[in-house]
């Protein structure tokens, strides 16, 4: 049995790792995956051995909360409330930290001589001012202390524990220093008062709490994205639907629709469920699910899907799957599962975090004991132990990496590449494969005339062809009409227009009969395709283009080929990616012939065609199982699960809102050069991060080496500030 839980109380990767470890040890558990960003846990277990209350109790015993999955509305509301509270904490902490930091570190910053004179003469006031500023910061960020010490009590220390212990130790030492200052003043020992007046740690405690709060706020901001994407997916389905019951057509809520109902869909209306057409024929716009721009002609016996749009005729359908069983619902589930899954690097980070905190605390304790054993004073040993905790707090990593990422994401925005998270920017440089959707991503997403062949002049033929097609709403007809308009051609009025379902159209112009459509229509009307058109017809078919034949009462007089052409910058962008060593894959629901034609034009090595909407995510998973780290580039709703499953999802900015929400990176325009920009930007940013980490670890290492030689120095110099 698989069950999803909402988890509360997690604050870092160590928390999710601890829950996974605790739950994984329970008898009857098959798999367990905890998602920190989604605050969720998915468990596969044997219900004959283990019950849901047992699992909830085990999570609570580990020091966290677990609930059966709540409504998405409740979760979104909770995230919004948490974000508001964090915003208050953030601004309050920063506003107080600025003067605290300046006062605590004034000797290293430009300052008036009067300030130095005041603090040297009044060390107790100097300490009290810092105390007054740091206490509100501690109150605002009390959650770190509550969660941190609670985790310690439950023997499951996390990053909050490290922050709480480090901050508390700094505060305790600050109070100790204040006591020493008071003793110095009471015993007329100004040297003692001045010594400890320069050994306060209040600004360190405030800085630790404030910087970590900045990171927490940014993390909370990103948590609602998957939920927003899912809300938009849900909104695709119609709210109400017309059904035929007892011979009457009535309107009901879509959620009340059941399998077996007969639904009536008017032109322009959305299909409310998955089912079979039992009456009528029409063109169905399935772009909401498939991403394909050309409507599909459907009639009695054909399958239709929820959230697609009925374009022309009145339809009756028998509902086969409704509610949570529809194709749309399956896509929503895939988005949720892909969001909750973990990449191997995330699991490695969890494992490191699990042991990082206790190791750091142990080192701090050993530092205290060693200094006492070698004869150091308690103040000396205590300050060195605090230094270990302060240095080891996540601030170093929280600055070395995000500063570079902030610059990288800012530069990306300048070039029209919106990078949603630093993690995504880091993962791009690891990728070795780029998977592209076809329609709307590599191609323009709109059929266009790309070939005209006729026995008359091209302008005369195109004007006549557009006049024949002007009564049709089909996208192929609109492509012909648009081509005529672009050339400034005037259309002739027609009469007796007839749309021949799945084949073409017929009409009269100046009392003369004309037909336009596919080969099947021409054969039915008894026309023989002229030799001069056969070569172009065969080439169009082989290259995945759609041919339209035009005939009058006597013969076929022209051929127009229509295709969804690649974008102007597609070839250059793909060549640049190949030059970077990327393996290119085309993943599309379109037919193999069309996909192969586009792939050949753009030089794509691997073609995966005729893929169902629900299978795109599975294809990405297959590539990952082969050891590839894939970037997925798409624009349709059907791409959303694949965008989430991929190492990095890149959405075309003018694509669907759902694809944009599900992706890690959004191109603010249709230019595929943005993919190249993202790859190059990631490489440069990672190079910068490595340089930052090198210097950060070098400084930390130097600090510890410096600490080793402190035995001959006065104790006040032991504070590594």
């Amino acid at each position: 049995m698989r069950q999803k839980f909402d988890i509360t109380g997690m604050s870092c990767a160590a928390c999710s790792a601890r829950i996974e470890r605790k739950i994984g040890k329970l008898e009857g558990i098959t798999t367990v995956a905890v998602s920190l960003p989604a605050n969720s846990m998915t468990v596969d277990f044997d219900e004959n051995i283990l019950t849901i209350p047992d699992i909830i109790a085990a999570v609570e015993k580990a020091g966290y909360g677990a609930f059966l999955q709540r409504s998405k509305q409740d979760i979104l509301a909770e995230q919004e409330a948490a974000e508001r509270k964090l915003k208050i904490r953030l601004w309050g902490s920063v506003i107080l930290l600025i003067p605290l930091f300046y006062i605590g570190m004034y000797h290293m910053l430009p300052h008036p001589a009067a300030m130095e004179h005041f603090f040297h003469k009044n060390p107790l006031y100097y300490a009290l001012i810092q105390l007054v500023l740091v206490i509100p910061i501690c109150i605002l960020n009390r959650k770190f202390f509550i969660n941190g010490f609670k985790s310690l009590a439950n023997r499951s220390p996390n990053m909050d524990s490290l922050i709480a212990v480090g901050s508390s130790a700094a505060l305790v030492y600050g109070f100790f220093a204040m006591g020493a200052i008071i003793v110095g003043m009471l015993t007329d020992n100004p040297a003692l008062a001045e010594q400890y007046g320069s050994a306060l740690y209040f600004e360190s405690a405030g800085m630790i709490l404030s910087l970590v709060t900045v990171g927490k706020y940014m993390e909370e901001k990103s948590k609602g994205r998957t939920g927003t994407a899912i809300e938009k997916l849900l909104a695709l389905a119609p709210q109400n639907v017309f059904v035929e019951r007892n011979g009457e057509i009535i309107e009901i809520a879509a959620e009340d629709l059941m399998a077996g109902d007969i639904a009536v869909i008017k032109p322009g209306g959305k299909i409310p469920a998955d089912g079979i057409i039992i009456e009528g024929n029409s063109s169905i716009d399935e772009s909401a699910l498939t991403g394909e721009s050309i409507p599909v002609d459907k009639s009695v016996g054909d399958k239709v899907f929820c959230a697609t749009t009925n374009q022309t005729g009145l339809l009756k359908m028998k509902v086969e799957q409704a509610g949570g069983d529809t194709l749309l619902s399956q896509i929503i589930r895939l988005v949720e599962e892909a969001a909750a899954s973990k990449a191997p690097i995330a699991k490695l980070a969890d494992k490191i975090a699990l042991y990082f905190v206790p190791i750091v605390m142990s080192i701090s304790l050993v530092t205290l004991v060693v200094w006492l054993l070698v004869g150091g004073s308690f103040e000396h040993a205590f300050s060195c132990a605090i230094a270990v905790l302060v240095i080891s707090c996540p601030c170093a990593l929280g600055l070395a990496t995000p500063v570079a990422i902030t610059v990288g994401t800012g530069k990306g925005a300048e070039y029209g590449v919106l990078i949603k998270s630093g993690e995504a920017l880091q993962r791009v440089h690891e990728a070795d494969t780029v998977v592209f959707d076809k329609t709307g991503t590599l191609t323009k997403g709109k059929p266009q005339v790309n070939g005209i062949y006729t026995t008359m002049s091209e302008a005369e033929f195109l004007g006549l062809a557009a006049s024949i097609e002007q009564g049709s709403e089909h996208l192929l007809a609109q492509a012909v009409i648009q081509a005529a308009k672009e050339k400034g051609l005037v259309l002739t009025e027609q009469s007796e227009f007839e749309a021949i379902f799945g084949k073409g159209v017929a009409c009269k112009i100046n009392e003369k009969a004309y037909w336009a459509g596919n080969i099947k229509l021409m054969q039915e009307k008894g026309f023989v395709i002229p030799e001069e058109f056969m070569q172009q017809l065969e080439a169009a078919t082989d290259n995945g283009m759609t041919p339209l034949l035009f005939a009058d009462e006597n013969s076929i007089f022209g051929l127009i080929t229509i295709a969804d052409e690649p974008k102007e910058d597609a070839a250059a962008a793909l060549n640049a990616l190949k030059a970077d060593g990327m393996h290119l894959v085309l993943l599309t629901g379109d037919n193999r012939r069309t996909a192969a034609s586009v792939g050949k034009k753009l030089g794509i090595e691997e073609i995966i065609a005729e893929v169902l909407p629900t299978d795109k995510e599975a294809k990405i998973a297959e590539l990952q199982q082969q050891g590839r780290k894939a970037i997925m580039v798409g624009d349709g709703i059907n791409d959303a699960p694949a965008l989430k499953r991929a190492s990095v999802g890149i959405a075309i900015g003018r694509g669907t809102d759902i694809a944009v929400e599900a992706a890690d990176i959004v191109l603010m325009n249709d230019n595929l050069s943005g993919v190249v920009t993202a790859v190059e930007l990631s490489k440069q940013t990672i190079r910068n991060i490595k340089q930052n980490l090198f210097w950060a670890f070098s400084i930390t290492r130097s600090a510890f080496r410096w600490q080793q030689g402190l035995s001959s120095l006065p104790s006040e110099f032991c504070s590594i500030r």
Side-chain angles (χ1 to χ4, degrees):
M1 178 180 178
R2 172 168 289 187
Q3 183 63 53
K4 191 171 182 180
F5 299 85
D6 291 322
I7 305 297
T8 60
M10 293 192 296
S11 60
C12 67
C15 298
S16 58
R18 178 172 176 78
I19 295 172
E20 282 187 355
R21 189 178 65 170
K22 290 291 185 182
I23 301 303
K25 289 181 178 179
L26 296 176
E27 186 180 358
I29 292 290
T30 306
T31 60
V32 55
V34 178
S35 171
L36 177 62
N39 286 324
S40 67
M41 175 178 71
T42 303
V43 179
D44 288 315
F45 64 99
D46 187 342
E47 54 191 319
N48 296 319
I49 300 174
L50 202 61
T51 65
I52 289 174
D54 292 336
I55 297 172
I56 292 174
V59 173
E60 290 175 347
K61 188 176 180 181
Y64 307 91
F67 306 90
L68 285 178
Q69 197 171 9
R70 297 165 289 175
S71 70
K72 293 178 178 64
Q73 290 77 10
D74 289 343
I75 294 172
L76 288 173
E78 183 180 288
Q79 288 173 345
E80 288 173 2
E83 189 178 316
R84 283 195 300 271
K85 290 179 181 177
L86 260 179
K87 196 171 186 179
I88 294 170
R89 281 172 53 190
L90 173 64
W91 284 109
S93 299
V94 170
I95 289 169
L96 291 164
L97 177 65
I98 291 171
L100 173 62
F101 179 77
Y102 183 76
I103 293 169
M105 305 296 290
Y106 78 93
H107 51 283
M108 299 179 67
L109 301 168
H111 61 276
M115 178 182 286
E116 186 164 0
H117 177 76
F118 172 78
F119 287 133
H120 275 290
K121 292 296 182 181
N122 303 277
L124 184 58
Y125 291 154
Y126 174 56
L128 285 172
I129 292 171
Q130 291 188 56
L131 180 62
V132 168
L133 289 169
V134 79
I135 286 176
I137 295 177
C138 294
I139 294 172
L140 283 169
N141 296 284
R142 60 190 178 278
K143 189 174 182 180
F144 289 126
F145 297 99
I146 295 170
N147 291 344
F149 288 118
K150 182 179 178 182
S151 296
L152 276 177
N154 289 320
R155 291 180 297 176
S156 56
N158 55 18
M159 290 298 183
D160 281 358
S161 303
L162 196 59
I163 294 162
V165 172
S167 302
S168 298
L171 290 169
V172 168
Y173 188 82
F175 284 116
F176 169 80
M178 283 183 68
I181 292 170
I182 294 171
V183 170
M185 293 176 69
L186 292 175
T187 58
D188 196 23
N189 186 352
L192 179 64
E194 186 173 340
Q195 172 188 337
Y196 282 98
S198 60
L200 297 166
Y201 269 93
F202 289 138
E203 87 288 344
S204 298
M207 182 68 76
I208 292 168
L209 295 170
S210 300
L211 288 182
V212 176
T213 298
V214 172
K216 292 287 183 182
Y217 178 72
M218 295 174 68
E219 180 184 302
E220 198 67 36
K221 285 279 287 183
S222 67
K223 282 186 178 180
R225 288 182 184 139
T226 298
T228 303
I230 291 169
E231 288 299 311
K232 290 186 177 181
L233 279 170
L234 291 169
L236 287 172
Q239 299 298 311
N240 297 303
V241 59
F242 290 98
V243 295
E244 187 178 278
R245 290 180 179 174
N246 301 321
E248 295 183 6
I249 296 178
I250 60 173
E251 187 176 10
I252 64 170
E255 60 188 24
D256 296 329
L257 199 62
M258 297 182 294
D261 277 337
I262 305 299
V264 181
I265 304 98
K266 298 178 181 180
K270 286 189 175 182
I271 308 296
D274 296 353
I276 298 290
I277 296 175
I278 60 172
E279 186 178 316
N281 54 62
S282 180
S283 292
I284 305 295
D285 180 2
E286 295 187 337
S287 59
L289 291 181
T290 66
E292 299 304 322
S293 57
I294 298 177
V296 181
D297 294 327
K298 298 204 174 186
S299 58
V300 175
D302 289 333
K303 184 119 179 159
V304 289
F305 301 96
C306 180
T308 59
T309 304
N310 175 27
Q311 287 198 321
T312 53
L314 181 70
L315 293 178
K316 287 186 180 180
M317 62 169 283
K318 183 177 181 180
V319 175
E320 291 187 330
Q321 289 90 28
D325 298 323
T326 64
L327 180 64
L328 177 66
S329 297
Q330 291 178 43
I331 291 176
I332 291 171
R333 281 196 295 272
L334 287 172
V335 171
E336 290 177 322
E337 290 172 5
S341 63
K342 288 187 177 182
I345 189 66
K347 293 181 180 179
L348 178 61
D350 287 350
K351 190 173 290 186
I352 293 171
L354 187 65
Y355 299 105
F356 176 74
V357 176
I359 288 173
V360 167
M361 296 180 72
S362 299
I363 292 172
S364 177
L365 182 61
V366 168
T367 301
L368 175 67
V369 172
V370 168
W371 276 110
L372 291 174
L373 291 176
V374 297
S377 67
F378 178 76
E379 299 93 322
H380 183 106
F382 188 58
S383 63
C384 290
I386 292 173
V388 173
L389 290 173
V390 172
I391 288 170
S392 301
C393 268
C395 297
L397 295 178
L399 288 174
T401 302
V403 166
I405 287 174
T406 299
V407 174
T409 52
K411 277 293 178 186
E414 289 180 20
Y415 293 111
V417 180
L418 179 61
I419 302 166
K420 292 186 177 181
S421 69
E423 186 180 359
L425 188 61
Q426 291 181 45
R427 289 199 305 262
V428 170
H429 95 287
E430 300 173 350
D432 53 23
T433 302
V434 184
V435 182
F436 290 93
D437 171 51
K438 182 181 76 67
T439 305
T441 301
L442 290 176
T443 64
K444 297 175 182 176
K446 187 177 181 181
Q448 293 179 314
V449 171
N450 67 346
I452 298 175
Y453 310 93
T454 180
T455 56
M456 58 180 73
S457 73
E458 184 175 305
E460 182 185 0
F461 167 60
L462 185 57
L464 179 57
S467 299
I468 296 168
E469 293 279 18
Q470 66 183 314
S472 173
E473 296 179 355
H474 200 284
L475 281 180
L476 296 178
Q478 295 301 312
V480 175
I481 295 167
Q482 182 62 31
K485 287 181 178 179
E486 288 175 358
K487 292 184 179 293
L489 301 176
V490 179
L491 307 189
T492 306
E493 289 188 11
Q494 58 171 228
S495 61
E496 299 182 29
F497 177 83
E498 178 189 2
I500 304 170
F501 180 73
K503 299 172 185 175
V505 300
C507 70
K508 283 188 176 182
I509 297 177
N510 297 327
E511 298 303 319
K512 186 175 181 180
Y514 290 93
W515 290 269
N518 55 27
I519 297 175
K520 188 182 292 185
L521 175 64
M522 298 301 152
Q523 290 173 340
E524 284 185 2
K525 298 302 177 183
F527 293 112
V528 177
I529 300 174
E531 284 294 327
E532 59 263 35
F533 295 147
M534 282 302 298
Q535 185 176 353
Q536 289 84 4
L537 187 66
E538 290 172 357
T541 305
D542 290 341
N543 291 318
M545 294 181 283
T546 303
L548 287 179
L549 293 162
F550 294 83
D552 57 18
E553 295 169 339
N554 301 313
S555 63
I556 295 174
F557 59 84
L559 167 69
I560 291 178
T561 58
I562 298 173
D564 186 8
E565 290 293 316
K567 294 176 180 177
E568 286 80 1
D569 71 328
L574 268 58
N575 287 334
L577 289 171
K578 284 196 285 187
D580 274 337
M582 294 290 188
H583 175 74
L584 304 183
V585 179
L586 176 59
L587 180 64
T588 178
D590 213 337
N591 65 73
R592 294 185 185 280
R593 183 174 289 171
T594 302
S597 173
V598 173
K600 184 178 180 182
K601 288 179 182 177
L602 298 176
I604 298 177
E605 302 98 330
E606 185 175 350
I607 310 293
I608 305 174
E610 298 178 5
V611 179
L612 294 174
T614 52
D615 290 342
K616 281 195 172 185
E617 182 264 351
K619 291 296 181 182
I620 295 294
E622 284 181 19
L623 292 173
Q624 290 174 332
Q625 288 170 4
Q626 295 168 12
R628 297 186 189 177
K629 295 179 180 179
I631 297 171
M632 173 69 194
V633 186
D635 73 320
I637 291 168
N638 63 313
D639 299 322
L643 289 169
K644 275 293 182 185
R645 174 64 69 184
S647 296
V648 180
I650 300 181
I652 304 299
R654 294 180 186 174
T656 63
D657 287 346
I658 285 81
V660 170
E661 288 291 342
D664 302 296
I665 297 174
V666 178
L667 307 184
M668 296 184 213
N669 49 46
D670 283 342
N671 297 332
L672 287 171
S673 57
V675 180
V676 183
T677 300
V679 171
E680 293 298 328
L681 195 61
S682 175
K683 288 182 178 179
Q684 293 181 27
T685 303
I686 296 305
R687 189 182 304 120
N688 195 8
I689 287 172
K690 289 178 179 178
Q691 291 170 352
N692 289 351
L693 290 175
F694 169 78
W695 287 111
F697 282 119
S698 294
I699 291 168
T700 302
R701 186 180 177 189
S702 298
F704 276 109
R705 283 185 173 179
W706 179 51
Q707 202 172 327
Q708 291 170 3
L710 291 178
S711 57
S712 60
L713 298 176
S715 62
E716 60 266 26
F717 289 104
C718 185
S719 301
I720 301 175
R721 301 179 64 83

